[in-house]
Amino acid sequence: MPKERETLHKQDAHCIVNTDAILDEEVIQIGAGRSGSTAVWQILNHIYSKAWKAHKISPDLFAKKDVKIFFTYRDPRDITLSRLRTLKDLKILSQKDININSIAQANQGHDLQSYLCSYLKSNYKDILLIKYEDFFTTENSDCKKVINTIVKFAGISLSESELDTINSKVSKSNNAKIQQNFNSFHEGDHESGIHGKHIADSKQLHWRDLLNEDQLNYLNKMCEADIKYFNY
């Protein structure tokens, strides 16, 4: 049975120490929940000995100014409906599950992505911005593209064998297998960061097909700053 790895905690963040990592270095993965943050964090865990995962900026974690930061972002409308699906603990979100109040609830207590990104770009120099739509799609289970992007930023190279090994462990298909061990999003696997119902069903409709006109207008207004900042 593999030895359980040490977990470190700071305010609003955690890190699982990997003594077998390629680089003995501390880095930070930050981004809104449901922005591809877990998949990117999994990749970082294979490359770096200490990869912190956070959704908020905390003073103790972000005290170092020379730390590498990996920022994930996504269309805020997709994030909202993905959050709503997990809040309701559903495999598939349907029109009957959505109303103005539930849309507001899904975004309650979360920082704007535009605020996070603007702050980080103003205060740190080594930042890699990872756009969800460039790397993660419903059809694509392969993570090699985002792995190669991260590896290039890290300044290292991987053999095809190393690339295949990491990809097999962080791929959508492998994470889908992990989530089958849990019945609820409120249960999950500590080391992979994968919860039950973490990954949406392939039949999940897009926000354009789920929202009525009033709901879409409300959501667009709520997400206006992020939509403009990231050109969605």
Side-chain angles (χ1 to χ4, degrees), residues 132-149:
Y132 182 97
E133 292 81 4
D134 287 345
F135 300 103
F136 307 108
T137 65
T138 303
E139 300 80 14
N140 186 23
S141 174
D142 195 297
C143 286
K144 286 186 179 180
K145 183 179 178 182
V146 69
I147 295 170
N148 281 324
T149 299

Side-chain angles (χ1 to χ4, degrees), residues 33-96:
R34 317 307 300 162
S35 67
S37 56
T38 298
V40 169
W41 179 67
Q42 289 176 332
I43 296 166
L44 296 176
N45 273 335
H46 288 280
I47 298 172
Y48 295 99
S49 58
K50 293 181 181 178
W52 290 92
K53 186 173 191 280
H55 297 309
K56 294 178 177 288
I57 294 170
S58 58
D60 55 344
L61 180 60
F62 287 87
K64 291 183 179 180
K65 297 300 180 182
D66 58 347
V67 66
K68 285 188 177 71
I69 294 175
F70 298 81
F71 178 79
T72 53
Y73 68 100
R74 183 184 185 185
D75 187 319
R77 292 159 292 199
D78 283 320
I79 284 179
T80 300
L81 293 196
S82 186
R83 282 177 181 157
L84 183 55
R85 181 182 65 78
T86 57
L87 278 173
K88 291 181 174 289
D89 213 18
L90 300 169
K91 288 184 177 179
I92 297 179
L93 186 70
S94 62
Q95 290 174 326
K96 65 180 176 60

Side-chain angles (χ1 to χ4, degrees), residues 42-229:
Q42 289 176 332
I43 296 166
L44 296 176
N45 273 335
H46 288 280
I47 298 172
Y48 295 99
S49 58
K50 293 181 181 178
W52 290 92
K53 186 173 191 280
H55 297 309
K56 294 178 177 288
I57 294 170
S58 58
D60 55 344
L61 180 60
F62 287 87
K64 291 183 179 180
K65 297 300 180 182
D66 58 347
V67 66
K68 285 188 177 71
I69 294 175
F70 298 81
F71 178 79
T72 53
Y73 68 100
R74 183 184 185 185
D75 187 319
R77 292 159 292 199
D78 283 320
I79 284 179
T80 300
L81 293 196
S82 186
R83 282 177 181 157
L84 183 55
R85 181 182 65 78
T86 57
L87 278 173
K88 291 181 174 289
D89 213 18
L90 300 169
K91 288 184 177 179
I92 297 179
L93 186 70
S94 62
Q95 290 174 326
K96 65 180 176 60
D97 303 307
I98 304 171
N99 55 53
I100 297 296
N101 287 335
S102 65
I103 291 171
Q105 181 187 14
N107 282 325
Q108 188 174 2
H110 297 280
D111 290 328
L112 288 172
Q113 297 179 97
S114 49
Y115 160 73
L116 290 174
C117 190
S118 178
Y119 175 85
L120 293 169
K121 288 171 71 175
S122 297
N123 290 277
Y124 301 87
K125 61 178 183 178
D126 288 331
I127 305 175
L128 179 63
L129 303 185
I130 300 174
K131 184 179 181 181
Y132 182 97
E133 292 81 4
D134 287 345
F135 300 103
F136 307 108
T137 65
T138 303
E139 300 80 14
N140 186 23
S141 174
D142 195 297
C143 286
K144 286 186 179 180
K145 183 179 178 182
V146 69
I147 295 170
N148 281 324
T149 299
I150 289 170
V151 163
K152 183 178 179 180
F153 183 77
I156 60 173
S157 60
L158 296 180
S159 67
E160 279 300 317
S161 174
E162 289 172 322
L163 178 61
D164 287 341
T165 297
I166 295 175
N167 184 57
S168 68
K169 292 180 178 178
V170 306
S171 67
K172 185 176 179 179
S173 57
N174 190 60
N175 284 332
K177 290 177 184 177
I178 295 172
Q179 79 173 0
Q180 291 175 0
N181 295 316
F182 307 98
N183 295 318
S184 167
F185 187 78
H186 307 297
E187 305 167 349
D189 176 62
H190 176 65
E191 290 220 355
S192 68
I194 295 296
H195 302 262
K197 302 174 184 174
H198 197 120
I199 301 168
D201 190 282
S202 59
K203 297 177 182 177
Q204 178 64 62
L205 294 176
H206 193 265
W207 56 263
R208 291 185 179 89
D209 304 308
L210 282 173
L211 301 174
N212 63 37
E213 185 177 356
D214 287 342
Q215 292 167 349
L216 181 55
N217 288 338
Y218 179 81
L219 183 55
N220 280 337
K221 187 66 177 176
M222 176 179 283
C223 299
E224 184 176 12
D226 281 356
I227 291 170
K228 287 184 175 179
Y229 187 89

